């Protein structure tokens, strides 16, 4: 593997194969025992007594302790004179959410909001009731506790485009500073370049363990004419890379561990878990946000902010909280009898990365991360004692790549498809992936039943730049909002993804994979089309449509003349004083890569904007 550059990635399927039901609890029992009695300096948990009593007044109230919110609270509480309150609807992380390979096991647990999209008929046809699962973290650390830990930043052009849309200060050179500020990159080869940072709070590295499939993936990319390079560096295109992720000593490095842990002893920071914010308190005449209302211990609490309320609830919840508070499309708010304080296009501009799931190749040698193979006492010991072994693989994702189809400019560094390379498939982890992807038993049994327990790998081709709406179901804050992702509404989105599948299929037939006897495993539901025709691939995509969990854009940042903008380039909500949104929902356009590092960057930059405002300009 000499000379193979590795870098961050994005999320996909967690894998661990086998009959989980009985084996898993035993393993976890052993694991927890080991973690208690062996050196566990990997991560200290935030303990219960930091779940402090909430006072009545704070300078800043941050809603949501996710990828961005944890950063915001940590950075604002660096100013000793400011009292900061962080409210989080969920509880703390667990031993299981720490294990990289078990990423998919966190979904549908109590650490997940467990959202589902509304059925629209044209995608997720293999899922129960045609609804795609939309996991979102409900835990300290937010979706950084559910994610596949893949560290990617997107393309420099994404940020230059944001700036060109009328958002000064968000161009690539500017945001690069914030990516580096967070980062503690453990790969010396990368750390010395101008694109990476060391000494930041967020640990970034590679899993120390790789299956032989990783090398085949990199070599396959080279055979197709792509280079092995740092896809978070100077170039993004033609990049194939060993996945890099937010892991520390082999365990998940969530934003809670990275940013809140070091801040936990600060007198001026209070963190309240299991605190579900139901609305922002806004003076309707002066249009000033002065606090929030939240539900905790079975009653409603009110807490006041002297300076600002900052929403970091993520792309589903931040727009929901705004709408519940009277900020949103007026016709929609009226429909739910919510008094309109500010008419803004909240919940629109929703964008997400959609992919084909379950694109599987069967191989002969025993290389895959099958549950039974990686869950023995030896592997568990290796993980618990040394932070090494197959359990440290980032949700089963070993490689990442960016490729171009015929629909993007061939001479530009602007790929339109990303690959997640997984050393296994939906057949390899017992039924967990079937469950978290919401696949029907009928689809699963027909498609993956015949290859259960077989060695496989999969390539998840993902469309990089697809548009579209989050609405309220009712004015009850505990009702889930309605999610309409409108995947493939544009014809070009489907066409581009079909081309991406073709590249993936070609990759699966490159030399190293052929040596392993690699063979494409199709979907029986699509056999009425000619194999490998565009119609066949379209049928696969419409059945096994897989979100890569990157919703953004529902509180869009934009200039005052942009009718769709919800916040300005300082992330202040238009028309309301003392209220900002700082999380992935402010992205005007989806970046060409996974969204965790970008959300953390938004947290870093957002916190600096707040500091600049209050420290330089004083009162407002
Ligand atoms: C399964 C999965 C896999 C992923 N894999 C990757 C990956 O490998 N790489 C990558 O780069 N990205 C990945 N992502 C995406 C990435 O994790 C998200 O884009 C990012 O975490 C979003 O950050 P955020 O701060 O906007 O929101 P979140 O991290 O979701 O944080 C929002 C927080 O607000 C809290 N909250 C919400 N509403 C309320 C309320 N009313 N009151 C109090 N608290 C509230 C939530 O509980 C949560 O903690 C993945 C996401 C998922 C779900
Ligand atoms: C493609 O990209 C090149 C290099 O940036 C540029 O010169 C050219 O105009 C682009 N072509 C199209 C059709 O946009
Ligand atoms: C699918 O297979 C599982 C496990 O073998 C079995 O329990 C289930 O009854 C099957 N369901 C259908 C609909 O075929």
């Amino acid at each position: 593997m000499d000379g193979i550059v590795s870098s961050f990635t994005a999320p996909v399927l967690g894998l661990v194969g086998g009959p989980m039901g009985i084996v898993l609890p035993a393993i976890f029992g052993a694991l927890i025992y080991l973690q208690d009695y062996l050196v566990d300096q990997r991560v200290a948990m935030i303990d219960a007594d930091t779940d402090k009593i909430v006072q009545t007044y704070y300078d800043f109230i941050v809603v949501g302790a996710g990828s961005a919110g944890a950063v915001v609270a940590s950075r604002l509480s660096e100013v000793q004179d400011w009292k900061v309150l962080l409210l989080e609807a969920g509880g703390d992380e667990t031993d299981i959410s720490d294990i990289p390979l078990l990423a998919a096991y966190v979904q549908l647990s109590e650490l997940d909001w467990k959202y589902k999209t509304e059925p629209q008929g044209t995608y997720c046809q293999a899922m129960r009731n045609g609804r795609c699962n939309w996991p979102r973290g409900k835990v300290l650390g937010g979706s950084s506790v559910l994610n596949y830990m893949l560290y990617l930043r997107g393309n420099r052009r994404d940020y230059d485009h944001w700036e060109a849309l009328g958002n000064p200060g968000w161009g690539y050179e500017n945001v690069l500073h914030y990516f580096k500020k967070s980062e503690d990159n453990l790969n010396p080869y990368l750390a010395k370049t101008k694109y990476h940072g060391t000494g930041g709070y967020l640990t970034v590295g590679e899993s120390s363990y790789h299956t032989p499939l990783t090398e085949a993936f990199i070599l396959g990319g080279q055979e197709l004419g792509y280079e092995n390079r740092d896809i978070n560096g100077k170039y993004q295109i033609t990049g194939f890379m060993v996945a890099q992720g937010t892991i520390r000593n082999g365990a998940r490095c969530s934003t809670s561990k990275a940013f809140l842990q070091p801040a936990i002893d600060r007198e001026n920071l209070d963190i309240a878990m299991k605190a579900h914010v139901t609305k922002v308190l806004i003076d309707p005449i002066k249009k000033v946000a002065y606090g929030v209302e939240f539900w905790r211990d079975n009653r409603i609490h009110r807490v006041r902010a002297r300076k600002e309320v900052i929403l970091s609830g993520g792309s589903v919840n931040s727009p929901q909280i705004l709408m519940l508070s009277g900020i949103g499309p007026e016709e929609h708010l009226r429909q739910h009898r919510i008094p309109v304080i500010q008419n803004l296009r909240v919940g629109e501009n929703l964008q997400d990365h959609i992919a084909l799931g379950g694109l599987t190749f069967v191989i002969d040698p025993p290389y895959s991360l099958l549950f039974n193979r990686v869950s023995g006492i030896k592997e568990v010991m290796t993980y618990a004692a040394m932070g090494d072994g197959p359990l440290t693989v980032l949700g089963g994702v070993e490689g990442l790549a960016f490729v171009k189809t015929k629909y993007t400019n061939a001479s530009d560094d602007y790929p339109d498809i990303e690959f997640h390379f997984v050393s296994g498939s939906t057949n390899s982890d017992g039924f967990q992936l079937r469950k978290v992807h919401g696949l029907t038993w009928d689809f699963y049994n027909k498609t993956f039943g015949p290859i259960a327990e077989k060695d496989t790998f999969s390539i998840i081709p993902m469309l990089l730049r697809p548009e579209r709406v989050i609405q309220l179901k009712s004015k009850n804050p505990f009702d889930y909002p309605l999610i309409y992702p409108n995947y493939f509404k544009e014809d070009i989105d489907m066409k581009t993804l079909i081309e991406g599948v073709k590249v993936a299929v070609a990759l699966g037939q490159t030399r190293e994979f052929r040596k392993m006897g690699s063979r494409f495993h199709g979907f029986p539901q699509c056999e009425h089309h000619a194999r490998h025709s565009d119609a066949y691939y379209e049928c696969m995509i419409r059945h096994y449509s897989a979100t890569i969990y990157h919703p953004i854009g529902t509180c869009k940042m934009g200039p005052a003349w942009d009718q769709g903008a919800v916040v300005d380039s300082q992330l202040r909500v238009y028309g309301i004083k003392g209220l900002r949104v700082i999380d992935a929902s402010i992205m005007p356009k989806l970046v060409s890569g996974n969204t965790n590092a970008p959300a953390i960057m938004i947290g870093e930059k957002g916190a600096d904007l707040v500091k600049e405002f209050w420290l330089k300009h004083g009162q407002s």
Side-chain angles (χ1 to χ4, degrees), residues 298-556:
N298 288 318
R299 68 183 187 90
I300 281 286
H301 303 250
R302 291 179 154 216
V303 60
R304 287 171 180 260
R306 289 192 198 93
K307 293 187 168 67
E308 292 191 18
V309 173
I310 295 169
L311 294 185
S312 300
S315 294
V316 177
N317 295 50
S318 285
Q320 182 191 27
I321 299 168
L322 283 179
M323 290 191 274
L324 291 169
S325 315
I327 302 169
E330 60 183 344
E331 68 287 359
H332 181 55
L333 298 186
R334 290 225 173 86
Q335 188 192 329
H336 292 294
R337 299 199 171 75
I338 296 171
V340 180
I341 298 181
Q342 187 73 21
N343 175 21
L344 292 172
R345 307 321 289 172
V346 173
E348 301 180 4
N349 188 49
L350 172 66
Q351 299 163 46
D352 185 26
H353 281 144
I354 190 76
L356 167 60
L359 177 56
T360 306
F361 300 84
V362 181
I363 52 169
D364 299 323
Y367 291 158
S368 305
L369 294 167
L370 300 176
F371 181 74
N372 291 335
R373 192 172 284 151
V374 298
S375 61
I377 195 73
K378 179 169 141 256
E379 286 77 17
V380 174
M381 289 281 290
T382 309
Y383 169 76
M386 287 171 314
D388 201 350
L391 290 168
T392 69
V393 174
L394 308 164
V397 180
E398 294 208 90
L400 294 170
F402 287 98
V403 300
K404 288 193 290 191
T405 74
K406 64 181 180 189
Y407 294 109
T408 192
N409 185 337
S411 43
D412 254 358
D413 180 20
Y414 212 25
D416 50 359
I417 293 284
E418 177 180 338
F419 288 162
H420 293 86
F421 178 75
V422 187
S423 298
S425 184
T426 316
N427 69 323
S428 348
D429 74 332
F431 303 122
Q432 184 65 12
L433 276 178
R434 184 204 70 82
K435 189 171 145 199
V436 301
H437 284 157
L439 299 173
T440 62
W441 274 114
D442 181 62
F443 177 85
Y444 180 87
N445 287 5
K446 282 191 183 128
T447 309
F448 297 103
I451 56 167
E453 299 287 301
K454 287 228 166 84
D455 277 274
T456 55
F457 65 88
S458 53
I459 303 168
I460 314 297
M462 175 183 107
L463 180 66
L464 281 172
R465 286 177 297 277
E467 190 148 337
R468 302 133 219 297
V469 191
I470 289 186
Q471 293 193 324
L472 295 178
K473 187 167 183 189
S474 77
K475 64 193 277 187
N476 178 349
F478 300 103
D479 266 355
Y480 277 9
L482 305 173
I483 301 168
Y484 300 96
N486 286 315
Y487 296 127
F488 313 120
K489 199 174 168 200
E490 308 299 328
D491 205 28
I492 185 71
D493 286 356
M494 177 57 76
K495 284 185 165 147
T496 307
L497 192 50
I498 289 170
E499 293 304 312
V501 175
K502 291 179 189 170
V503 183
V505 170
L507 179 62
Q509 296 306 321
T510 48
R511 198 176 319 116
E512 297 303 312
F513 288 130
R514 278 204 311 275
K515 280 190 208 157
M516 301 175 192
S518 166
R519 49 211 182 268
F520 171 84
H521 180 75
F523 290 1
Q525 296 74 8
C526 301
E527 296 294 344
H528 56 288
H529 300 293
R531 265 223 169 176
H532 300 296
S533 63
D534 286 14
Y536 188 93
Y537 292 150
E538 176 168 345
C539 168
M540 289 179 80
I541 293 167
R542 292 202 189 274
H543 274 85
Y544 201 157
S545 325
T547 170
I548 305 296
Y549 324 107
H550 300 157
I552 60 98
T554 48
C555 302
K556 181 188 181 186

Side-chain angles (χ1 to χ4, degrees), residues 101-386:
L101 190 64
L102 300 188
Y105 286 80
V106 193
Q107 291 174 44
L108 301 180
S109 78
E110 64 167 3
L111 276 50
D112 179 5
W113 285 88
K114 309 186 192 83
Y115 291 121
K116 284 182 195 299
T117 63
E118 293 306 301
Q120 293 185 299
T122 48
Y123 51 80
C124 290
Q125 292 168 347
M127 283 58 162
R128 259 165 291 139
N129 307 317
R131 302 178 75 182
C132 341
N133 283 345
W134 258 40
R136 293 280 94 197
K138 187 182 187 180
V139 49
L140 218 56
S143 299
S144 79
V145 177
L146 265 61
N147 73 19
Y148 285 63
M149 294 148 281
L150 304 166
Y151 185 95
L152 280 168
R153 297 170 177 174
N155 194 293
R156 66 158 57 225
R157 292 189 171 222
D158 299 326
Y159 302 102
D160 289 343
H161 186 212
W162 290 8
E163 188 161 53
L165 290 171
N167 300 297
W170 290 90
Y172 177 73
E173 290 302 329
N174 196 305
V175 302
L176 178 59
H177 166 76
Y178 290 105
F179 280 117
K180 289 165 69 176
K181 182 179 181 184
S182 300
E183 190 180 6
D184 187 22
N185 197 304
L186 299 183
N187 184 332
Y189 185 78
L190 296 176
K192 67 181 186 211
T193 70
K194 72 167 268 216
Y195 297 96
H196 293 279
T198 51
Y201 283 132
L202 183 71
T203 313
V204 178
E206 215 174 90
S207 166
S208 48
Y209 177 92
H210 294 297
T211 71
L213 290 163
T214 313
E215 188 169 10
F217 170 73
I218 302 291
L219 293 172
Q222 288 172 336
E223 189 178 320
L224 294 183
Y226 294 98
E227 278 184 51
N228 170 220
R229 56 163 54 132
D230 174 17
I231 48 188
N232 291 308
K234 186 166 181 202
Y235 301 98
Q236 187 188 40
I237 195 154
T238 66
F240 272 59
M241 186 171 193
V242 176
Q244 285 224 329
T246 43
I247 52 170
R248 185 183 285 171
N249 300 326
R252 175 189 296 277
C253 180
S254 67
T255 56
S256 170
K257 288 185 195 107
F259 294 89
L260 293 179
Q261 196 75 60
I264 211 73
D265 290 330
R266 290 179 194 155
E267 288 293 320
N268 63 331
L269 173 64
D270 284 0
I271 302 173
M273 292 185 267
K274 308 267 180 192
H276 186 139
V277 172
T278 48
K279 78 195 279 197
V280 181
L281 300 169
I282 302 169
D283 180 327
I285 310 296
K286 294 191 195 136
K287 294 204 176 187
V288 179
Y290 62 88
V292 301
E293 216 172 73
F294 64 96
W295 181 260
R296 192 180 193 222
D297 299 330
N298 288 318
R299 68 183 187 90
I300 281 286
H301 303 250
R302 291 179 154 216
V303 60
R304 287 171 180 260
R306 289 192 198 93
K307 293 187 168 67
E308 292 191 18
V309 173
I310 295 169
L311 294 185
S312 300
S315 294
V316 177
N317 295 50
S318 285
Q320 182 191 27
I321 299 168
L322 283 179
M323 290 191 274
L324 291 169
S325 315
I327 302 169
E330 60 183 344
E331 68 287 359
H332 181 55
L333 298 186
R334 290 225 173 86
Q335 188 192 329
H336 292 294
R337 299 199 171 75
I338 296 171
V340 180
I341 298 181
Q342 187 73 21
N343 175 21
L344 292 172
R345 307 321 289 172
V346 173
E348 301 180 4
N349 188 49
L350 172 66
Q351 299 163 46
D352 185 26
H353 281 144
I354 190 76
L356 167 60
L359 177 56
T360 306
F361 300 84
V362 181
I363 52 169
D364 299 323
Y367 291 158
S368 305
L369 294 167
L370 300 176
F371 181 74
N372 291 335
R373 192 172 284 151
V374 298
S375 61
I377 195 73
K378 179 169 141 256
E379 286 77 17
V380 174
M381 289 281 290
T382 309
Y383 169 76
M386 287 171 314

